[in-house]
Amino acid sequence: MRRPLVAGNWKMSLGPEGGAALIAELLPLVADSTGAVDVVVCPPYLALGAVAAALDGGGVSLGAQNCHWEEAGAFTGEIAPGMLLAVACQWVILGHSERRQLFGESDEGVNRRAVGAFAAGLRPIVCIGETLEERDAGRVEDVILGQLDRSLQGFTAEQLASVAVAYEPVWAIGTGRTATPEQAQQVHGLIRGRLRDSFGDASAEVIRILYGGSVKPDNAAELFGQADIDGGLIGGASLKAADFAAIANAARSTCGCHSEQEI
Ligand code: PGA
């Protein structure tokens, strides 16, 4: 049984003060779930230090929204994996569709970032997802498997267990239009099948595959109840403590996980 993972992607919202305030509100609301669910928040870089301090010992982990593959150098505007580890980050979102679409990140670049982040000791959450145009053209399988293969190139079966994949259909992000549980499960099953072929049964069984795209308290339980959906990557709803907590609590109640299990 896989331990669910629910990660909040704050995007370009909340600075140090607002971030710490949100955490103060959130921690008591998720206290009953953090024994059974990995709950992660991913604030903007500038808020990481303040949020880390606010999280202290509260059972919620810290992640970043991107990182470079090198540890130092002339890379204006980038951040190194070691810098994120130094402020207590354990996770990093990589290849989010906004990075791919608005900032030109490619599968190859996402892969370099993932390999670099992993080597430094961070756990990547690698995002993949098709556009509406690609879905309408019947290209979901082709697009998703291509992104998956290229983004995870070079990982070993053993390393894969520490990685998470997030399936986020681009047309469902921030639009209020969620994939139906059946649509999401179909793609999650496809992803796990490919991971099984590429990395073997054992790794494919333990890797968490998250769904992202307009997850809300009222649709989370049904999504997380699908066989291959192991939690979510949450944007808008992660900015409201009550909503994010309700989603994390839904992951606990639907996945039938064992609280003592750690991956
Ligand atoms: P959303 O964003 O929940 O606001 O749709 C999800 C994401 O971008 O990760």
Side-chain angles (χ1 to χ4, degrees), residues 17-166:
E17 214 175 302
L22 178 59
I23 296 304
E25 219 186 312
L26 178 69
L27 289 182
L29 302 178
V30 294
D32 288 343
S33 292
T34 50
V37 177
D38 286 339
V39 182
V40 180
V41 290
C42 303
Y45 299 129
L46 191 66
L48 286 170
V51 170
L55 285 174
D56 189 38
V60 172
S61 307
L62 190 63
Q65 298 173 20
N66 203 357
C67 75
H68 197 262
W69 52 85
E70 294 286 350
E71 273 306 337
F75 303 105
T76 302
E78 292 286 329
I79 195 124
M83 296 171 182
L84 298 176
L85 287 161
V87 289
C89 279
Q90 295 175 34
W91 294 90
V92 61
I93 299 169
L94 293 170
H96 188 277
S97 72
E98 286 149 19
R99 299 300 319 169
R100 292 172 182 270
Q101 300 216 310
L102 305 174
F103 302 99
E105 288 193 16
S106 63
D107 291 330
E108 290 68 26
V110 172
N111 180 245
R112 286 182 86 175
R113 290 174 195 267
V115 169
F118 184 84
L122 290 166
R123 301 182 68 170
I125 299 173
V126 175
C127 304
I128 55 178
E130 83 285 358
T131 62
L132 189 57
E133 210 175 27
E134 290 163 339
R135 174 165 283 265
D136 287 345
R139 296 191 50 229
V140 175
E141 179 166 346
D142 179 35
V143 169
I144 293 299
L145 298 183
Q147 288 181 351
L148 184 71
D149 291 348
R150 289 188 292 271
S151 301
L152 292 179
Q153 213 175 354
F155 279 88
T156 66
E158 199 189 13
Q159 292 169 343
L160 195 75
S162 302
V163 173
V165 170

Side-chain angles (χ1 to χ4, degrees), residues 7-11 93 96-98 127 166 168-170 172-177 211-216 232-238 247:
N9 175 10
W10 294 4
K11 308 193 180 184
I93 299 169
H96 188 277
S97 72
E98 286 149 19
C127 304
E168 300 202 298
V170 177
I173 296 177
T175 57
R177 187 179 159 192
Y211 170 78
S214 300
V215 179
K216 301 279 181 292
L233 183 54
I234 320 300
S238 71
I247 292 168

